[in-house]
């Protein structure tokens, strides 16, 4: 099924690239990060072309819950403990700046996209020491937030931590508006980058700068991003309810339920799992939650999305690799893609025009925080070794075209998925999500 956003808005269609052209910059990927980066570069006088493998909105940005927040679950205590207090400050200020920048662009360009400021809360259903630690962390950081034991939600919570001055919007309305100001080629997947040239099947672009904003990077070497993150999948059901909520919510225990209002619809999300590990029942868990807590609601639509999860919980934004000085990457948004897309656009634009950015060191892909990353690295390596080993004995229609891991059925969405790195295919073998660049039976 289509997401609520895809059901309501359709972007204008764009021709495919046909022939060889030139541009100051090529942005590969027409999701929120790619469009924002192209938009900002154009405003700086840098001629920019966007290459989209499919069509606009038919990607992760069209499947988001569209919260624009600096409240990202229990992130701040984690950064302070595993990295540093200073980096936690940088993370908050950069993400909060992204919210303000969205508002600035929307106001300046008079974009009607249901942008609204409201609180964002993380809540615990049961006693949870972690949420108390997060409250202490944000108090140390000087972040304006409220710690409470009662909310407007129709079920009791043990505690909740609410950030003020956060935001939400209609992502499709916003993307449609900014895309109309850009040069975009749809159905034009990039297949190769060679020095100052980006190649597609039907033409190439000679350029000074290239931005890889493809959700999951498609270049394996250099960069080795497949060793540095995995993908999680989650599910959303949009329902009509009698009483709207006035804040955004994300749980930190149980099913980690996500809630936000969009006009008459309530978006209920959750049932998160590593891509390739679902055996069914994820939607049913959400339906159970809805039947219990919103018994008089009516179903509208449902969908799923997947997110790139880094080992240290911080996105990878900046130079793609040391040996690729004019290629940049934006990935690993850890389920907070709207604010991190804007952070990416600001940071990469500043890199290209050689303007100082105070947050470059925090997000640089060349970092390695041992304490913050080692746990995730060990888990991901275990999944990769297991998947690759199983792939040696798998049939052709059960082996991922990325690196050869065994594929698994996701019974909730009827797809084949790779547990190693998150590639997704239809049952007929067509590629849906990267990092794979080919369907199961493509040559």
């Amino acid at each position: 099924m289509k997401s609520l956003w895809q059901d309501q808005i359709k972007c204008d269609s764009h021709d495919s690239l046909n022939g060889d052209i030139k541009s100051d910059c090529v942005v590969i990927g027409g999701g929120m990060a790619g469009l924002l980066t192209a938009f900002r570069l154009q405003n700086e006088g840098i001629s920019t072309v966007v290459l989209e493998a499919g069509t606009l909105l038919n990607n992760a940005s069209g499947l988001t819950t569209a919260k624009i927040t600096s409240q990202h679950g229990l992130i701040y205590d984690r950064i302070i403990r595993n990295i540093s207090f200073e980096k936690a400050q940088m993370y908050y200020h950069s993400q909060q700046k992204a919210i303000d920048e969205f508002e600035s662009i929307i106001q300046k360009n008079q974009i009607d996209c249901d942008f609204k400021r409201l609180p964002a809360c993380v809540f615990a259903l049961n006693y949870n020491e972690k949420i108390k630690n997060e409250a202490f962390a944000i108090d140390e950081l000087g972040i304006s937030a409220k710690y409470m034991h009662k909310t407007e939600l129709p079920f009791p919570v043990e505690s909740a931590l609410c950030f003020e001055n956060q935001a939400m919007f209609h992502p499709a309305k916003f993307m449609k508006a900014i895309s109309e100001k850009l040069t975009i080629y749809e159905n034009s997947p990039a297949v190769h980058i060679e020095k100052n040239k980006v190649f597609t099947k039907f033409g190439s672009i000679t350029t000074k700068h290239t931005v890889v904003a493809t959700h999951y990077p498609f270049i394996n070497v250099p960069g080795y991003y497949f060793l540095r993150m995995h993908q999680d999948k989650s599910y959303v059901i949009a329902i009509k309810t009698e009483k709207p909520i006035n804040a955004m919510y994300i749980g930190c225990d149980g099913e980690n339920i996500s809630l936000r209002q969009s006009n008459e619809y309530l978006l209920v999300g959750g049932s998160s799992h590593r891509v390739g590990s679902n055996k069914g029942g994820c939607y049913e868990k959400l339906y159970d939650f809805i039947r219990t807590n919103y018994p008089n609601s009516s179903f509208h639509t449902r969908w799923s999305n997947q997110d790139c999860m880094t080992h240290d919980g911080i996105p990878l934004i900046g130079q793609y690799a040391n040996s690729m000085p004019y290629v940049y990457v934006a990935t690993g948004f850890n389920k907070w893609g709207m604010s991190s897309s804007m952070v990416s656009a600001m940071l990469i634009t500043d890199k290209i025009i050689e303007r100082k950015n105070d947050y470059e060191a925090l997000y640089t892909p060349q970092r390695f925080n041992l304490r913050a990353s080692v746990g995730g690295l060990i888990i991901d390596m275990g999944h990769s070794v297991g998947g690759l080993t199983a792939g040696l004995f798998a049939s052709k229609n059960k082996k991922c075209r990325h690196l050869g891991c065994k594929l698994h059925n996701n019974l909730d969405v009827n797809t084949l998925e790779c547990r190693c790195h998150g590639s997704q295919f239809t049952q007929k073998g067509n590629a849906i999500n990267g990092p794979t660049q080919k369907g199961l039976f493509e040559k």
Side-chain angles (χ1 to χ4, degrees):
M1 285 187 172
K2 292 182 178 180
S3 72
L4 181 67
W5 327 118
Q6 294 167 333
D7 190 43
Q8 294 175 341
I9 296 294
K10 181 177 175 59
C11 288
D12 296 336
S13 60
H14 301 268
D15 292 335
S16 300
L17 179 66
N18 186 12
D20 301 328
I21 62 173
K22 293 182 179 180
S23 179
D24 290 339
C25 182
V26 177
V27 174
I28 305 173
M32 187 65 75
L35 293 182
L36 280 172
T37 302
F39 182 82
R40 292 182 65 85
L41 287 169
Q42 286 279 106
N43 288 343
E44 295 288 349
I46 307 294
S47 66
T48 304
V49 167
V50 177
L51 292 177
E52 167 54 39
T55 57
L56 299 185
L57 293 183
N58 287 323
N59 47 43
S61 296
L63 303 169
T64 176
T65 54
K67 300 174 180 177
I68 317 172
T69 72
S70 59
Q71 200 298 301
H72 294 171
L74 305 179
I75 186 67
Y76 293 101
D77 178 59
R78 177 182 175 184
I79 296 177
I80 290 172
R81 283 187 296 103
N82 293 334
I83 305 176
S84 72
F85 181 85
E86 290 72 24
K87 292 293 173 66
Q89 282 183 315
M90 292 169 67
Y91 187 90
Y92 170 73
H93 289 299
S94 63
Q95 297 287 330
Q96 194 65 32
K97 186 176 180 181
I99 305 172
D100 297 336
E101 187 62 18
F102 263 114
E103 185 170 38
S104 176
I105 290 174
I106 289 165
Q107 290 179 348
K108 184 176 180 181
N109 295 274
Q110 298 182 322
I111 300 173
D112 180 10
C113 61
D114 305 336
F115 181 88
K116 184 180 180 180
R117 290 276 190 170
L118 73 175
C121 308
V122 56
F123 66 88
L125 297 173
N126 303 297
Y127 177 78
N128 191 327
E129 190 69 28
K130 290 182 179 180
I131 198 170
K132 286 194 172 182
N133 292 338
E134 185 73 2
F136 291 138
I138 66 167
D139 185 60
E140 288 183 353
L141 292 166
I143 298 172
S144 176
K146 294 180 180 178
Y147 186 74
M148 60 188 71
H149 295 280
K150 187 177 181 180
T151 69
E152 61 180 324
L153 296 173
F155 52 88
V157 303
E158 194 282 329
S159 55
L161 187 59
C162 296
F163 282 33
E164 301 294 331
N165 205 28
Q166 306 298 289
M168 64 183 186
F169 70 155
H170 193 301
K173 290 181 180 180
F174 179 85
M175 291 171 70
K176 178 179 173 63
I178 65 171
S179 68
E180 291 171 350
K181 304 176 184 294
L182 303 174
T183 300
I184 299 170
Y185 293 100
E186 292 183 318
N187 300 304
S188 302
V191 296
H192 181 57
I193 299 174
E194 186 177 307
K195 294 184 179 179
N196 65 335
K197 233 175 202 184
V198 177
F199 293 88
T200 73
K201 290 182 179 179
F202 307 109
S204 66
I205 306 176
T206 300
T207 186
K208 299 175 183 176
H209 307 278
T210 302
V211 179
V212 179
T214 54
H215 185 65
Y216 199 113
F218 68 97
I219 305 168
N220 286 331
V221 181
Y224 299 94
Y225 289 91
F226 63 92
L227 295 176
R228 307 170 68 185
M229 58 187 182
H230 70 273
Q231 295 195 64
D232 273 4
K233 185 177 288 291
S234 50
Y235 303 79
V236 183
I237 298 176
I239 59 175
K240 281 189 175 181
T241 61
E242 296 177 349
K243 186 178 179 181
I245 58 174
N246 299 301
M248 300 173 287
Y249 296 90
I250 184 74
C252 64
D253 57 2
E255 287 298 321
N256 291 350
I257 292 292
S258 168
L259 299 162
R260 68 146 288 190
Q261 199 75 32
S262 177
N263 297 318
E264 70 267 40
Y265 299 107
L266 177 67
L267 275 56
V268 181
S271 295
S272 180
H273 63 83
R274 188 186 183 100
V275 173
S277 64
N278 177 38
K279 296 181 180 179
C282 289
Y283 281 125
E284 192 55 38
K285 290 177 183 177
L286 293 181
Y287 284 126
D288 286 343
F289 174 85
I290 291 167
R291 284 190 286 264
T292 300
N293 297 289
Y294 298 94
N296 298 318
S297 63
S298 59
F299 170 83
H300 179 68
T301 190
R302 71 183 194 183
W303 68 94
S304 65
N305 196 11
Q306 55 191 66
D307 298 271
C308 296
M309 312 296 290
T310 62
H311 295 152
D312 63 4
I314 297 173
L316 300 161
I317 307 167
Q319 188 176 316
Y320 198 99
N322 289 329
S323 59
M324 302 173 74
Y326 300 110
V327 179
Y328 308 90
V329 67
T331 189
F333 294 163
N334 301 290
K335 302 184 181 182
W336 302 102
M338 296 299 96
S339 58
S340 293
S341 287
M342 184 64 82
V343 171
S344 300
M346 293 189 292
L347 200 155
I348 292 173
T349 298
D350 287 348
K351 288 278 287 183
I352 288 174
I353 67 173
E354 299 181 353
R355 180 168 58 200
K356 186 178 183 298
N357 188 297
D358 294 335
Y359 311 114
E360 180 178 346
L362 173 65
Y363 294 102
T364 177
Q366 282 66 55
R367 72 180 187 270
F368 180 68
N369 302 307
L370 179 61
R371 180 185 296 179
S373 301
V374 67
L377 177 61
I378 292 171
I379 292 171
D380 283 357
M381 286 182 65
H383 280 287
S384 294
V385 171
L388 288 166
T389 302
L392 295 174
F393 305 98
S395 61
K396 184 178 180 181
N397 63 344
K398 287 285 188 177
K399 186 182 297 188
C400 182
R401 292 297 301 277
H402 175 228
L403 291 177
C405 290
K406 183 180 178 180
L407 298 176
H408 301 266
N409 281 304
N410 184 327
L411 299 180
D412 280 301
V413 292
N414 194 31
T415 57
L416 296 169
E417 298 178 350
C418 174
R419 190 178 298 171
C420 295
H421 310 111
S423 295
Q424 185 183 31
F425 305 84
T426 67
Q427 292 292 340
K428 293 183 178 180
N430 299 321
I432 302 173
N433 279 306
T436 185
Q437 287 186 278
K438 293 182 178 181
L440 293 181
F441 308 111
E442 284 185 52
K443 293 183 179 180

